[in-house]
Amino acid sequence: MSLALQCLVALSLLVCGAVAALPEIARDRSPRPRPLSSVTGAVSLWLVQAPDQHWYLGGQAIESGRLAALLRHEGSRAAVHYLPSAALPLGEISSSLRWLRSLGSGPVLLELPPPPRP
């Protein structure tokens, strides 16, 4: 292979590599804030369920009857973020999630706690 052909192959590989890298270089890497609610203009309700059917709405204890009435009243306007305690069994989390979804037509988002550190 002659020197001219080697240079032409090297130049072709360089140009192809540069063209292939353009999308990665041009991509915007700045973080974009994501809205907490999946429904535009919706009220976000943060629910925490502790063992023994203890519920907390926005950090305040609430009875399940009052919670049900509130969720029925809010209807589709409220996006519910459900955070179960890590001490709850999976069956109870599943039934509570089903119960919350039956109370209103708005979205109920399951928020899982971060995994424990080793």
Side-chain angles (χ1 to χ4, degrees):
M1 198 152 72
S2 70
L3 182 61
L5 185 57
Q6 288 178 350
C7 291
L8 184 61
V9 169
L11 182 63
S12 297
L13 289 175
L14 181 66
V15 168
C16 289
V19 169
L22 275 177
E24 185 66 26
I25 294 170
R27 190 175 75 190
D28 185 21
R29 294 185 183 268
S30 61
R32 294 183 199 129
R34 194 177 64 163
L36 289 176
S37 174
S38 61
V39 179
T40 307
V43 177
S44 290
L45 299 175
W46 288 85
L47 284 175
V48 175
Q49 183 185 12
D52 299 327
Q53 290 297 319
H54 289 30
W55 291 91
Y56 298 91
L57 176 63
Q60 301 293 322
I62 186 170
E63 297 173 358
S64 60
R66 282 188 47 216
L67 176 62
L70 176 71
L71 292 178
R72 283 190 191 103
H73 179 263
E74 288 295 324
S76 63
R77 295 183 299 154
V80 178
H81 298 268
Y82 170 55
L83 178 63
S85 169
L88 293 174
L90 187 59
E92 189 172 347
I93 293 171
S94 176
S95 64
S96 295
L97 186 60
R98 190 173 27 255
W99 176 69
L100 290 170
R101 287 183 174 159
S102 72
L103 293 176
S105 59
V108 178
L109 308 169
L110 178 61
E111 304 284 343
L112 298 175
R117 293 185 179 180

